[in-house]
Structure formats: C-alpha cells, structure tokens
Amino acid sequence: MRKLSLAVALLVAPTLAQAWPWSQDMANVISIKPGESVDSKQAGMQPFPSRSVPVKGTTVFVKDMDAARNMANPVAANEQSVAQGEQLYNIYCTPCHGQSGTGDGLVGAKLIMTPWNLTNSNDMHTWDPKEYPDGYIFGYMAMGGAVMPSYANDLSPTERWHVVNYVRKVLQKAQPATAAAQAK
Ligand code: HEC
C-alpha cells in the first residue's frame, strides 16, 4: 500500500509542479510583454526605444565633407561635454586611434592603413582650426574615410560634437595647433 501511494505521488508530482506558482514566476515579473503597451492611447503598440529601429533615409545629417567643414560647432566645449566626449571616444575611437589619439590602437595596428594622428604631433598636417575646423572632425565621424567606418549610426550629431570637443580640449590639449607645430 505504501509502495502504491509512493508511485501515485511520483506520477502526479510533475503535474503538481507545473501548477505551482513558482514555475511561472519568471514569466510573471513586472515587465511589458509583447503586444502590451505603457501608453493607454496606443494599447498594444508600445513605442520602441529611440534609435532601436532603422530610420528612413540617412543618419549622417550632413551632405558631404565640404558641408561638414563649414558647420559651426553648436555644442559648447564645457566640462560636461568634454567628459561625455571622452566616454564616447573611449568606446568608439580608441580601438584604432588609441587612448593617446596618435593612432596606436590595437585594432588600428591590424589595418592596411594606420589610423591617422588626431593630436598635434600629426606630421601630415597641423590641427589649425582654420584649415581643419571642428566640422572636419565631425564630418569624418559622420562619413568615415577610405578605411575608417562611418559612425553616423552610432553617434548622434550632438554626441559627435562632444567627441570633437574632447579631441580638441584633451587630445589636442587646447593649445593652438599652429603654435604646437611652430614649437617643433
Ligand atoms: C576601425 C578603425 C577606426 C576607428 C574605430 C576610428 N577611426 Fe578614425 N581613422 C581611421 C583610419 C584608418 C583613418 C585614416 C583615413 C581613412 O581611413 O580614410 C582615420 C582618420 C580619421 C580622421 C582624419 C584625421 C586627419 O589627420 O585628417 C579623423 C578626424 C578621425 N579618424 C576621427 C575618428 C574619431 C573621432 C573616431 C571615433 C568616433 C574614429 N576616428 C574611429 C580608423 C578608425
């Protein structure tokens, strides 16, 4: 008799287990389920987080490199902007341009072309803002180069200006590029 009841208990155990609430706990956490909405006006149509879906057209927001060059930097290079720029630079640019900005990143070393030097020790050209204005750096991020990929989809225009501010204020040390070049 005891054996029989044990057998019965074992048989129904999985069924009971399925019925117990803990088996559904993971599914019943407080969260938005597919087809549910946080917006009562659009029940079942919750908005996607911004920039999580493809957008129509281009995200470059600038026609070409010439147009980019002529853009004035609308973001003040204050402490906050430079700090945000640093964070973004460390994520998106260091693999190639390196923490120093000279182009000594680990990924950059594997490319067919060494990433160019973003600091004042660039021997191809100085970073004189008259010849290479903020818009040039902004445009390079938007459009990329021959080897460098475009960061238009990763960095919003405002984020790109933050990176520009970081490059200018920290990597190029805020000193006039021409003065640095003359000092050489
Ligand atoms: C996958 C490697 C790679 C990454 C990541 C990368 N670059 Fe570049 N970058 C290059 C290469 C290579 C060049 C040389 C020019 C070319 O590719 O046409 C370059 C050139 C540049 C130039 C032109 C420099 C000059 O002397 O005229 C700028 C400005 C620039 N990069 C900025 C950035 C910024 C800012 C980031 C981060 C958002 C970034 N790059 C991320 C590879 C990279």
Side-chain angles (χ1 to χ4, degrees):
M1 186 62 196
R2 206 179 258 179
K3 265 190 197 156
L4 183 67
S5 56
L6 183 66
V8 169
L10 282 175
L11 271 174
V12 298
T15 327
L16 282 175
Q18 288 304 314
W20 283 352
W22 53 256
S23 64
Q24 294 172 18
D25 283 355
M26 293 290 277
N28 288 337
V29 291
I30 301 166
S31 63
I32 302 164
K33 307 291 183 304
E36 290 180 359
S37 174
V38 283
D39 183 356
S40 57
K41 290 196 202 92
Q42 298 191 56
M45 288 292 291
Q46 76 261 29
F48 289 103
S50 68
R51 290 163 63 188
S52 66
V53 284
V55 293
K56 211 173 166 190
T58 174
T59 50
V60 172
F61 298 121
V62 56
K63 190 168 144 259
D64 53 28
M65 220 33 212
D66 284 338
R69 256 178 193 272
N70 291 327
M71 286 175 86
N73 185 344
V75 178
N78 56 26
E79 220 174 287
Q80 233 184 335
S81 166
V82 171
Q84 215 175 325
E86 177 174 20
Q87 236 180 1
L88 295 167
Y89 178 90
N90 284 340
I91 296 168
Y92 292 101
C93 319
T94 43
C96 292
H97 291 280
Q99 208 117 43
S100 67
T102 55
D104 60 356
L106 294 175
V107 173
K110 305 222 180 273
L111 300 178
I112 51 165
M113 187 189 335
T114 311
W116 292 348
N117 188 340
L118 305 178
T119 77
N120 284 335
S121 63
N122 185 324
D123 53 12
M124 293 191 303
H125 63 79
T126 68
W127 282 106
D128 184 344
K130 284 197 210 82
E131 283 175 66
Y132 290 87
D134 287 1
Y136 171 81
I137 304 173
F138 176 91
Y140 232 98
M141 277 182 263
M143 262 150 289
V147 173
M148 177 173 149
S150 157
Y151 285 89
N153 288 323
D154 306 288
L155 298 166
S156 72
T158 308
E159 287 172 332
R160 275 175 246 160
W161 290 118
H162 289 320
V163 175
V164 169
N165 288 339
Y166 172 71
V167 169
R168 286 286 193 213
K169 291 278 171 191
V170 179
L171 296 186
Q172 297 177 1
K173 295 242 173 56
Q175 46 182 311
T178 36
Q182 278 158 9
K184 265 196 220 162

